[in-house]
Amino acid sequence: MKYAKKSPWILHYDGSSCNGCDIEVLACLNPLFDIERFGAINTGNPKHADILLITGAINEQNISVVKQLYEQMPNPKAVVAVGVCAATGGIFKDCYNMIGGVGEAIPVDVYVPGCASRPEAIIDGVVKALDKIK
């Protein structure tokens, strides 16, 4: 299977999650799951990122941040929504300040199921996002 000509750089943003999915994202970086075998590099700069990986729902306070991160990323880019909260708002969807899933703020390319999403599913979502950016 052939991927992008360069290593995909991933920007991880925690919307408003319970941190369950965040812990699983960090597990992707350990030697057991090793997302770096696909050439993926974790970055903190949206101007260098190819994939925006978001955990948690979108609320009134972070919607502008999510939109700004997305707009700062160069094209081609992909968005991966990790977990049920990022997909629909999850258990937080009825809170007074919640807008909903990531798709309410920016276009999403890949949805990763789960609560919390397993590292294998997150890596699968990143690999699917690679098809969009190649």
Side-chain angles (χ1 to χ4, degrees):
M1 187 178 285
K2 199 166 188 174
Y3 297 114
K5 293 185 189 272
K6 64 180 188 132
S7 296
W9 286 35
I10 300 172
L11 174 64
H12 172 224
Y13 180 76
D14 175 14
S16 57
S17 71
C18 69
N19 293 332
C21 289
D22 295 321
I23 292 169
E24 299 300 327
V25 168
L26 292 175
C28 293
L29 300 171
N30 74 27
L32 180 62
F33 298 103
D34 192 22
I35 195 169
E36 290 180 355
R37 72 179 181 255
F38 297 107
I41 298 170
N42 198 15
T43 183
N45 189 341
K47 294 178 181 179
H48 297 155
D50 302 301
I51 299 172
L52 179 57
L53 189 96
I54 301 182
T55 56
I58 301 300
N59 61 32
E60 294 290 339
Q61 291 183 338
N62 69 14
I63 189 168
S64 62
V65 174
V66 170
K67 287 180 178 181
Q68 185 178 28
L69 289 173
Y70 181 77
E71 290 166 2
Q72 289 179 354
M73 291 174 61
N75 288 320
K77 58 189 165 191
V79 176
V80 178
V82 177
V84 69
C85 291
T88 66
I91 61 170
F92 304 107
K93 69 180 174 191
D94 293 327
C95 292
Y96 70 94
N97 67 334
M98 282 297 157
I99 294 170
V102 177
E104 299 293 324
I106 58 174
V108 176
D109 300 296
V110 179
Y111 288 96
V112 177
C115 180
S117 296
R118 300 289 305 142
E120 300 93 330
I122 296 168
I123 292 171
D124 186 51
V126 169
V127 170
K128 288 179 181 174
L130 290 175
D131 288 336
K132 181 170 188 312
I133 63 172
K134 67 172 164 173

